[in-house]
Amino acid sequence: MNFVMKAALGGGPPDVGKMLGGEEDKDPEAEKEKEEERQEALRQQEEERKAKYSKMEAEREVMRQGIRDKYGLKKKEEAEAEAQAAMDAASEGSLTRPKKAVPSGCGDDDEEEESIMDTVMKYLPGPLQDMLKK
């Protein structure tokens, strides 16, 4: 009966709080150890995942190479490099090369435009020359 009175008045056994999920004695070293184990498990899982992925990628590359050999195709990087080299070689003497590659004397100069305009003005009749000068 004494036990019932203590429990009713809040003086129950000291283990009641632990049984109900209350405060437990926490060991910082044990928690640290658990965290280290968890981190190690995560690292190990990540390594296994990467190993699995690299193995699958290697198998795929072997299959791709077999297809390339069978049909005479080139690797994407090789094809892009050849296309770039062909474009560079084709634009060597092209008329559409970039302006910075235009040699001096061949580009647009203001002096040349004025001299062309003067030349055209010589061949126009007087009234047209006056109208264009304005």
Side-chain angles (χ1 to χ4, degrees):
M1 190 77 151
N2 204 6
F3 174 73
V4 175
M5 290 299 286
K6 285 184 180 179
L9 296 175
D15 296 340
V16 173
K18 290 181 184 178
M19 285 190 280
L20 296 176
E23 296 280 329
E24 293 185 18
D25 295 334
K26 295 185 178 181
D27 186 16
E29 287 185 25
E31 288 181 19
K32 188 183 241 186
E33 214 173 281
K34 285 182 182 180
E35 181 64 24
E36 288 175 3
E37 288 175 5
R38 189 181 71 81
Q39 291 294 329
E40 181 61 34
L42 287 175
R43 276 190 290 263
Q44 187 176 3
Q45 287 175 347
E46 184 69 18
E47 289 173 6
E48 289 172 1
R49 186 192 65 79
K50 285 182 181 180
K52 180 181 175 184
Y53 178 77
S54 62
K55 180 183 174 189
M56 286 189 334
E57 191 60 32
E59 290 173 356
R60 289 177 184 159
E61 186 58 35
V62 168
M63 186 176 289
R64 287 184 200 118
Q65 189 59 46
I67 293 170
R68 282 188 210 108
D69 294 342
K70 182 177 179 181
Y71 294 106
L73 302 174
K74 296 180 182 177
K75 262 188 163 178
K76 192 174 186 177
E77 297 91 26
E78 293 174 5
E80 288 176 358
E82 286 181 5
Q84 183 64 30
M87 285 184 71
D88 292 344
S91 67
E92 189 80 18
S94 174
L95 295 175
T96 59
R97 62 183 170 208
K99 287 204 175 238
K100 62 183 177 185
V102 176
S104 62
C106 294
D108 295 332
D109 292 334
D110 293 333
E111 297 171 1
E112 289 181 12
E113 288 180 16
E114 292 175 1
S115 65
I116 291 172
M117 195 64 172
D118 291 338
T119 307
V120 170
M121 292 293 275
K122 291 178 187 174
Y123 295 105
L124 292 175
L128 283 176
Q129 285 181 2
D130 293 338
M131 194 170 25
L132 289 175
K133 286 182 183 177
K134 292 180 182 179

